[in-house]
Amino acid sequence: MACLMYHFPSVDIKHKTNGRMDKIEHRTVATNGINMHIASTGTGPVILFLHGFPELWYSWRHQLLSLSSVGYRCIAPDLRGYGNSDAPRPVSEYTGLHVVGDLIGLLDSLGIDMVFLVGHDWGAMIAWYFCSFRPDRVKALVNTSVPFLPRNPQGNLLQWFRALFGDDYYFLRFQEPGEAEDDFAQVDPKRLMIKFFTNFGPNTPLLPKGVGIKALPDPPSLPSWLSEEDINYYAEKFNLTGFTGGLNYYRATAINWELMAPWTGSPITVPAKFIVGDLDLLYNIPGLKDHIHNGGFKKDVPLLEEVVVMEGVAHFLQQEKPEEVSKHIYDFVKKF
């Protein structure tokens, strides 16, 4: 297994989105009891892109355009609870089994047998679940930001995070239904999205009770990789839908832990590549670098072929460095 520190050489894959977004088609597909919105473009072998929080299909806009231009059919859904897809209310309907069920139904509806799978953040978690449940539908996996974390029969992620960071850790603050939603409502939607996209670097995001999301600082200006148009798109969508659907993924953590008991000790058995920024908050959680680089990750994902650490890159790597991430995906999937 190779591990690379990546310095962004020039590449041929184009990633500019200006004037090209009209190439992306939008449709709604009925699957697993919900209506799912998908964005797609291109023809050829299928790459299925899974987004995280607080994101949408739009987070993969650069990759949809660049990888469709080199011979792939690229599909990025709004996962259940997000954007133009349905958002069931019960937390219990946001387990990995539900979301993977949505995706299998989507593929069946579109007549697609196997896909290359690409995930980020919660989308990466869902991609690991997908590969656990239905490896027969995955040609290969490129996952980003979140390494595979095998189920610990002694306790779930909530207990681990509480022991590491205390009750103010953002993941724990998102657990109480309605609390984070009320907190977010106190901040202008555009300002809120800017806070999210610029504060998930190496410093631990803590949201003290009574301060909440306002504890995250405002940047002096937008980073170069985010435009006003981008922020407006996210803000308008979340202003319409709210955040409950996305937050329910966090709130289903304990339920997922219970349901995943039969897969305790089960490895991921599809060819895989992992990409992470060295400034990503997850990469900087105590113990995770050791897990990723010193054998634990490879033990749990025996067909892991490569780990790439992108220097100077934080959590939203596919938007921060779209050209490089597109090339990393292409360089892996073209082998199959």
Side-chain angles (χ1 to χ4, degrees):
M1 179 188 72
C3 178
L4 305 176
M5 296 295 285
Y6 196 67
H7 297 279
F8 316 137
S10 61
V11 296
D12 294 329
I13 292 180
K14 298 177 181 178
H15 71 283
K16 297 297 184 185
T17 59
N18 293 343
R20 300 177 64 209
M21 294 290 280
D22 60 352
K23 296 181 182 294
I24 297 174
E25 300 176 351
H26 297 267
R27 62 183 287 195
T28 298
V29 176
T31 172
N32 195 30
I34 68 165
N35 292 311
M36 174 173 275
H37 164 252
I38 64 170
S40 63
T41 186
T43 59
V46 177
I47 306 177
L48 180 63
F49 295 89
L50 307 179
H51 69 79
F53 179 90
E55 300 178 87
L56 302 161
W57 74 268
Y58 189 82
S59 296
W60 296 108
R61 60 198 178 278
H62 302 291
Q63 287 72 37
L64 292 179
L65 293 171
S66 60
L67 289 161
S68 65
S69 74
V70 290
Y72 291 90
R73 181 182 179 187
C74 298
I75 301 173
D78 285 335
L79 296 177
R80 72 162 54 203
Y82 286 94
N84 291 339
S85 292
D86 286 350
R89 297 299 297 181
V91 171
S92 60
E93 294 185 21
Y94 287 82
T95 70
L97 290 164
H98 285 85
V99 184
V100 174
D102 298 343
L103 299 171
I104 294 296
L106 171 65
L107 299 184
D108 290 346
S109 177
L110 298 177
I112 298 168
D113 182 30
M114 298 184 74
V115 297
F116 294 109
L117 198 57
V118 180
H120 171 255
D121 188 78
W122 270 107
M125 291 285 287
I126 297 303
W128 293 123
Y129 285 137
F130 194 121
C131 293
S132 292
F133 303 152
R134 295 302 302 271
D136 59 304
R137 305 296 293 267
V138 182
K139 293 179 183 177
L141 168 70
V142 179
N143 236 355
T144 70
S145 186
V146 183
F148 181 65
L149 300 172
R151 182 182 184 273
N152 181 353
Q154 303 304 314
N156 62 43
L157 283 176
L158 302 179
Q159 294 161 305
W160 183 46
F161 287 145
R162 186 169 286 110
L164 284 174
F165 305 119
D167 289 334
D168 288 342
Y169 191 56
Y170 80 101
F171 201 105
L172 300 174
R173 282 287 175 225
F174 288 175
Q175 293 301 308
E176 183 64 31
E179 184 175 299
E181 291 92 330
D182 291 344
D183 179 30
F184 297 169
Q186 306 305 310
V187 180
D188 173 80
K190 293 181 185 179
R191 183 183 171 205
L192 181 62
M193 297 311 303
I194 293 169
K195 282 179 176 288
F196 281 133
F197 282 124
T198 58
N199 278 287
F200 284 79
N203 298 322
T204 302
L206 300 178
L207 308 178
K209 198 169 183 66
V211 180
I213 201 70
K214 293 179 181 178
L216 300 181
D218 295 305
S221 60
L222 281 180
S224 60
W225 52 271
L226 266 183
S227 69
E228 290 285 351
E229 181 183 9
D230 297 333
I231 289 295
N232 288 341
Y233 187 89
Y234 287 111
E236 288 169 8
K237 288 294 182 183
F238 280 103
N239 198 39
L240 287 172
T241 65
F243 289 89
T244 298
L247 290 166
N248 280 346
Y249 286 71
Y250 294 89
R251 293 166 183 163
T253 297
I255 304 171
N256 273 320
W257 179 79
E258 293 178 4
L259 294 175
M260 288 300 294
W263 287 272
T264 301
S266 179
I268 299 295
T269 57
V270 304
K273 177 175 182 173
F274 180 69
I275 312 169
V276 67
D278 67 343
L279 301 180
D280 193 315
L281 78 161
L282 296 164
Y283 188 61
N284 289 278
I285 289 176
L288 272 199
K289 288 179 185 176
D290 181 70
H291 171 71
I292 290 169
H293 297 296
N294 293 329
F297 195 9
K298 177 68 172 176
K299 175 177 177 292
D300 298 325
V301 188
L303 298 183
L304 180 67
E305 295 187 15
E306 187 178 351
V307 170
V308 176
V309 180
M310 301 179 74
E311 291 188 329
V313 178
H315 184 62
F316 298 97
L317 72 178
Q318 81 272 43
Q319 298 185 78
E320 294 178 47
K321 294 292 180 181
E323 184 175 353
E324 291 81 1
V325 169
S326 294
K327 185 173 188 301
H328 276 306
I329 296 168
Y330 177 68
D331 286 347
F332 191 61
V333 302
K334 71 180 182 181
K335 299 190 295 184
F336 298 92

